[in-house]
Structures are given as C-alpha cells and as structure tokens.
Amino acid sequence: METLAMHISNGIIDGPVAAVFAALALAALTFCVLRGRRDLDDRLAPMAGLVAAFIFAVQMLNFPIFTAGVSGHLLGGALAALLVGPWVGALCVAVVLVVQALVFGDGGVAMLGLNITNMALLGTAAAYLLIALLLRVLPRTRAGLAVTAFVSALVSVVVASQGFVLEYWLGGTTDLGGNLAGLAGTMAGVHLLIGIGEGLITATTVVTVAKVRPDLVYALRALKPAVPAPAVPVAGGAR
C-alpha cells in the first residue's frame, strides 16, 4: 500500500505546506456546505449518496505513476458536478477521500488537505466551469451532453494532477534536480490517458441517467439556456 497508494502518501510534501492546504481545504469545504444546503432536496440528497458510492468504487482503479507512493486513478469530480452540482459534488468527493484515508489507508492522513484540494476542489471546479461553458454553446442533445461530460472529465483530471505539481514545487521532500517540468509532463501525460477513460465512463453514465430521468441531472436543471426577454410592442409612434 505504501508504493501503490491511490493518493499522496505521508512524507511526499513537507508538514508546513500540508498544513496550509489542510486549512484551505477546510475553509473551502465549509463554504461548499453552506452553498450546498440551498440545493439539497428530495432528488439531490439520495443522488448524492449514490454518486459518492460510485466515485468510491471507480477510485479503486489505481495506476502507479511516481516513485515514493504517488499514483493516478479515476477521480469522479466531473460526474459529481454534472449530477449533483459543484458544491455537493465537491463534498461527495471529499467524503470519499476521508473514508479512504482513515479506513483503507489510501493516501496519508497528514496529506488529506492536499488530496482534497486536488481532487475534490480543483477537479470539481474545473469540471463545472467547463460544463457551464459547453452546455451553453453545444446543443442540448444526448451527443452534446456526452461531449460535455467527456471533455469536462478529461480536463478536470489533468488539472487535478497539476495541483500536485504545484504542491510539490512548494514543499516536495525529494529534490528533483530542477526537473519540475519533467514531473509536470509525466503527471499530465499519464492523467491525460486516465482522463480519456474517465471521460468515457462519465459520458456513458450521465447520458444514461439523462435518458431515463433528465430531472436528476443537476447541470441540465441549473444551467438552463437563457430565455430572451419578450419584445415590447410599440404603439403610437413611441420608441
């Protein structure tokens, strides 16, 4: 488990940097709780549980990448953002990460703030920003939704991987000899391949849910196309 940990293991990043990101993650998750409470209803609450369970399952797929205990895997941030929104989605991923660290030893407990920042916050935020953009420019068809899910999942995985590179630059415990760009390239390249797989899984899952129950897809409800204001009739020559 030490060499095949799904997340950053203890000792990869030094203590002060890990503590800063732990505080950052705690503040961000508190904000997500406050905003997510507005979205919770009879549909979203059970869906959030299902999404968390699904993410827990897919994150068990693990691909070793970097020596000393770092590896790549599916994240699920884009799937969560599409189905339950960015706020609840980030909380779902964070809960999964906490359970994995405390119960299964996947990722160091001292590194939990770093892992939450990368996967629950950066990954989900990047995914939802892309989702909001693509759903406004692509047709609201199954194909458009599939493209949105695929692209957002792929990009979110790569963005999350680069979060680790930034953290390693700030407080990595092993000297890379100035080869930080090589680490960034390795992480981006491998996670690009992982992102393709995650994109396919996300697109298939979301399109299937939308086909049966489109009302359960948060993004389709929240990101409705803008409705143009009705024209005001002009009478009596007034403009």
Side-chain angles (χ1 to χ4, degrees):
M1 185 61 69
E2 183 63 23
T3 58
L4 294 178
M6 293 171 61
H7 320 292
I8 304 173
S9 299
N10 287 333
I12 299 297
I13 309 294
D14 64 31
V17 172
V20 169
F21 277 94
L24 174 65
L26 181 60
L29 291 178
T30 301
F31 183 75
C32 287
V33 170
L34 297 176
R35 290 298 302 268
R37 290 175 62 182
R38 304 178 187 177
D39 296 331
L40 284 177
D41 54 25
D42 292 340
R43 291 176 298 184
L44 197 62
M47 178 60 74
L50 293 174
V51 167
F54 185 79
I55 292 173
F56 182 87
V58 298
Q59 283 199 4
M60 298 304 291
L61 299 174
N62 172 43
F63 309 94
I65 292 177
F66 185 58
T67 58
V70 178
S71 59
H73 56 84
L74 305 180
L75 302 186
L79 178 68
L82 280 160
L83 293 181
V84 296
W87 315 113
V88 178
L91 293 173
C92 287
V93 179
V95 167
V96 170
L97 296 175
V98 170
V99 172
Q100 289 176 338
L102 297 180
V103 179
F104 296 96
D106 293 337
V109 175
M111 304 291 110
L112 193 54
L114 299 166
N115 289 320
I116 288 176
T117 298
N118 295 340
M119 291 176 274
L121 301 178
L122 288 180
T124 305
Y128 197 73
L129 289 175
L130 265 176
I131 291 165
L133 173 64
L134 293 176
L135 284 182
R136 284 179 167 84
V137 299
L138 294 177
R140 294 294 184 105
T141 61
R142 291 178 189 173
L145 182 60
V147 171
T148 298
F150 179 85
V151 173
S152 61
L154 189 154
V155 172
S156 70
V157 172
V158 177
V159 169
S161 74
Q162 296 309 295
F164 167 74
V165 177
L166 171 63
E167 293 155 1
Y168 201 89
W169 175 67
L170 292 173
T173 56
T174 302
D175 185 10
L176 297 177
N179 195 26
L180 189 68
L183 173 61
T186 299
M187 295 292 288
V190 176
H191 280 84
L192 182 64
L193 298 177
I194 295 173
I196 293 174
E198 175 154 346
L200 293 173
I201 293 173
T202 303
T204 302
T205 304
V206 173
V207 169
T208 301
V209 173
K211 181 179 178 181
V212 180
R213 289 286 304 274
D215 60 302
L216 294 180
V217 181
Y218 176 94
L220 294 180
R221 302 195 313 268
L223 301 173
K224 297 178 181 179
V227 178
V232 178
V234 177
R239 292 185 179 180

